[in-house]
Amino acid sequence: MKHILLAGVPHSTNLGDGLIAMTVNQLIRTCGEYTVTNFDLTAGLYRETPVRSGSVRRSDGGPALTREYKLNEVSVKKKLTPDFLRYMKSYSVHKRKDAVLGEQIRELVTRADAVLIGGGHLFIDTYLSFPIAMRRLVREVKRQGKPLHVVFVGMRGPWSFLARKWFTDILHYAKTISVRDEDSLAYLLSIAPSLAHKAVALSDPALVTLEAFPGRHAGDTKSASVRTVGLGIMDPNEMRRHSPYVWERDDCADWWHSLAKGATDGGSRVRVFTNGADTDNAFVEHYIKPRLAGMPGVEFAPYPGDVGDLVESIRDCDTVIAQRLHACIPAISFGKPTYGIAWDKKLASIFKDLGLSGHVLDFRTDPQAVLAGLVPEKSRQEGSVRIVNQKKRELVTYVGRILHEA
C-alpha cells in the first residue's frame, strides 16, 4: 500500500483549511488503497484540542470561565511598521521552527511514496510565511528524491523577490501542478510561462464535501416547510488584508441585521454561523449578537470546534449567504442555493468557474434587493449543477492519475 504525505494548513482555526485537507483525503481514498499522513506546513503534526464552546474549564475543577473573544485590530504601530521589518520578523520566527519541524519532515518524507502540497491559498507571500514553510519541506523532498505534486492550490501576487525565487524553485521541481481557478493559473503563467506544460486549472477540493461527509442526503435535512437561510459571517477587517475593499464593522453588522430581518419578515428562519476563525467569532459576539439577539426566527449556531461541526451547520440550511469561500463551497457541494459576498478575488473567480457568477453579491447592495434576487432561474441552477458534477469527476480523475504515477 502506497503512503502519501499531504502538506497544507489543516490546523488553522479557520476550519475551511481543515475542510480542504479532509476533502483532499476523500479524493485520495476514492482513487484506491492509500495511507495518508496530514502535515501542517507551519505547525507540524501537533494539534491542540480546539475549544468547542463559549466557555473553558478551569484547571482547578471550578466553574467554567466565559471565553474572551478578541477581535483582530490594526494598531497604529502595525500600520507604521515598514515591510522590511515585517519580513525580517517573519523570517526569524519561521526559521526557529526548522529544528523541530525538520526532524518530523525527515521521518515523514522517508516513509512517503509521494508528497502532495495540497489545497488552500498557499502560494501567497504573507511576509514569507508560506514560502519559508514550503521551502523547508521541499528541500527534504528533493534531498530524498521523492516525487512532489502541487494540487488544488490558490496563487496570488505580488510575490517578493525571495518568495518568487523559492516558489518557482518548488514549482519547477514538482511533477505536476494543479490550481483551483483560472485566475490562479493566469497568475502562475505570468510569473513562469515555462510551467504551462505541467500546470492545469481544476477546482477546489471542497466540492466533494458531500462525498466526504455523506450524512443525510442533501435536500432531506428536515421535514419542516420553513426555509432556513444560513448567514456565514466573517470579520470584515479581514478584507483589509486580502482585498481592496473596506467594510467598517458597524456598517457590516447593520447590513447583516437588515438581511436577517428581511429574511425573517419573509417567513424564513435565519441561522448565523462562522468558519471558526477567532476574529470571526469575536465579530459575531461583539457586533452581530447585540443587534440580532432576541429577534424572532434567528438562531446562532455554536462556534464550530472541528470541521464536522462546520459542515453540519451548513448542511442544515436551505440557502446559504456567506463571505468565507469555504462556507460557500460545502453548500454548493450539497446542492443548496449559495451566494458569496465579494471580497477576495478567489471567491469571484471560483464562482465564475462553477457557472455561478450571478450568485456573487456586492455588500454595497441594499439587503432587501439581495433577498429579492435569491431564487435563481431554474436553468441557471441546473447548469451550475452539471458544471459542479463535471468538476468533481475531473478532480477524481486527476488525483487517480498522479497517484498512479507515484
Side-chain angles (χ1 to χ4, degrees):
M1 181 181 296
K2 290 185 177 179
H3 187 86
I4 307 300
L5 175 59
L6 174 61
V9 283
H11 298 177
S12 169
T13 58
N14 175 4
L15 293 170
D17 293 314
L19 176 65
I20 292 169
M22 296 187 77
T23 49
V24 175
N25 275 259
Q26 170 65 26
L27 288 166
I28 293 171
R29 289 195 300 270
T30 300
C31 296
E33 294 293 324
Y34 298 94
T35 59
V36 181
T37 297
N38 293 279
F39 178 78
D40 192 292
L41 288 161
T42 61
L45 292 173
Y46 172 78
R47 181 174 186 176
E48 186 175 347
T49 303
V51 177
R52 297 177 62 88
S53 67
S55 63
V56 292
R57 189 178 302 279
R58 283 172 44 167
S59 59
D60 61 4
L65 302 171
T66 301
R67 184 181 178 190
E68 184 178 0
Y69 294 94
K70 293 185 178 180
L71 288 157
N72 285 349
E73 299 292 353
V74 181
S75 66
V76 174
K77 181 180 178 181
K78 285 185 177 180
K79 289 181 179 179
L80 296 177
T81 302
D83 279 352
F84 80 90
L85 289 179
R86 295 174 185 264
Y87 277 105
M88 289 176 62
K89 180 181 178 180
S90 180
Y91 185 85
S92 175
V93 167
H94 286 280
K95 288 301 290 182
R96 287 200 295 268
K97 298 181 181 181
D98 277 356
V100 175
L101 296 187
E103 184 176 344
Q104 291 184 9
I105 288 169
R106 282 190 293 275
E107 180 182 346
L108 294 173
V109 173
T110 299
R111 291 164 43 199
D113 293 291
V115 178
L116 275 59
I117 293 178
H121 212 51
L122 299 180
F123 281 78
I124 57 173
D125 183 10
T126 50
Y127 302 108
L128 295 181
S129 295
F130 285 143
I132 292 171
M134 275 189 256
R135 180 172 178 255
R136 180 191 298 124
L137 170 66
V138 176
R139 279 188 303 186
E140 184 62 25
V141 174
K142 286 183 177 181
R143 191 186 71 81
Q144 296 193 27
K146 297 295 179 74
L148 173 70
H149 301 273
V150 174
V151 294
F152 317 132
V153 294
M155 296 189 181
R156 188 187 62 205
W159 292 348
S160 63
F161 172 80
L162 281 178
R164 182 167 179 161
K165 181 181 186 305
W166 293 342
F167 277 156
T168 53
D169 284 349
I170 290 166
L171 293 167
H172 279 292
Y173 179 77
K175 295 184 67 174
T176 63
I177 303 165
S178 58
V179 296
R180 63 186 186 184
D181 62 280
E182 292 289 345
D183 279 354
S184 290
L185 181 61
Y187 181 74
L188 169 62
L189 298 183
S190 74
I191 295 293
S194 62
L195 295 174
H197 70 285
K198 61 178 177 180
V200 62
L202 294 171
S203 196
D204 192 289
L207 283 182
V208 298
T209 299
L210 175 61
E211 290 76 14
F213 299 86
R216 299 179 301 275
H217 292 294
D220 295 337
T221 56
K222 49 187 173 292
S223 58
S225 59
V226 178
R227 179 179 64 164
T228 297
V229 179
L231 306 183
I233 294 181
M234 180 185 84
D235 177 9
N237 270 25
E238 292 294 285
M239 297 167 68
R240 300 172 188 266
R241 297 169 51 207
H242 301 294
S243 80
Y245 298 116
V246 175
W247 199 5
E248 298 298 337
R249 282 172 169 153
D250 280 311
D251 293 339
C252 176
D254 288 343
W255 191 89
W256 285 113
H257 171 268
S258 296
L259 193 71
K261 188 174 188 308
T264 55
D265 286 349
S268 297
R269 282 193 292 251
V270 165
R271 164 173 293 178
V272 174
F273 69 93
T274 75
N275 276 33
D278 289 342
T279 195
D280 294 357
N281 298 346
F283 177 69
V284 169
E285 285 292 315
H286 294 295
Y287 285 85
I288 301 297
K289 282 188 176 180
R291 286 168 168 80
L292 270 61
M295 183 183 291
V298 174
E299 66 174 14
F300 291 87
Y303 301 125
D306 57 31
V307 175
D309 292 342
L310 172 63
V311 169
E312 291 309 313
S313 283
I314 295 169
R315 192 200 302 270
D316 284 341
C317 300
D318 298 296
T319 299
V320 171
I321 305 170
Q323 198 159 11
R324 292 277 188 192
L325 178 64
H326 289 96
C328 295
I329 296 183
I332 293 171
S333 178
F334 288 138
K336 300 177 185 297
T338 305
Y339 301 83
I341 298 172
W343 65 292
D344 197 354
K345 191 176 181 181
K346 67 189 178 189
L347 185 144
S349 180
I350 290 176
F351 267 63
K352 178 182 177 182
D353 289 349
L354 297 176
L356 292 170
S357 291
H359 287 215
V360 178
L361 307 176
D362 188 330
F363 63 86
R364 294 163 293 193
T365 301
D366 181 85
Q368 300 307 312
V370 169
L371 290 169
L374 284 191
V375 180
E377 298 174 10
K378 185 176 180 181
S379 59
R380 177 185 295 172
Q381 192 77 350
E382 289 176 349
S384 67
V385 169
R386 287 194 296 271
I387 293 171
V388 168
N389 289 335
Q390 177 61 29
K391 294 284 188 182
K392 288 183 181 183
R393 288 191 292 269
E394 290 173 357
L395 291 172
V396 172
T397 300
Y398 184 84
V399 171
R401 178 173 65 80
I402 65 173
L403 292 180
H404 179 72
E405 296 174 356

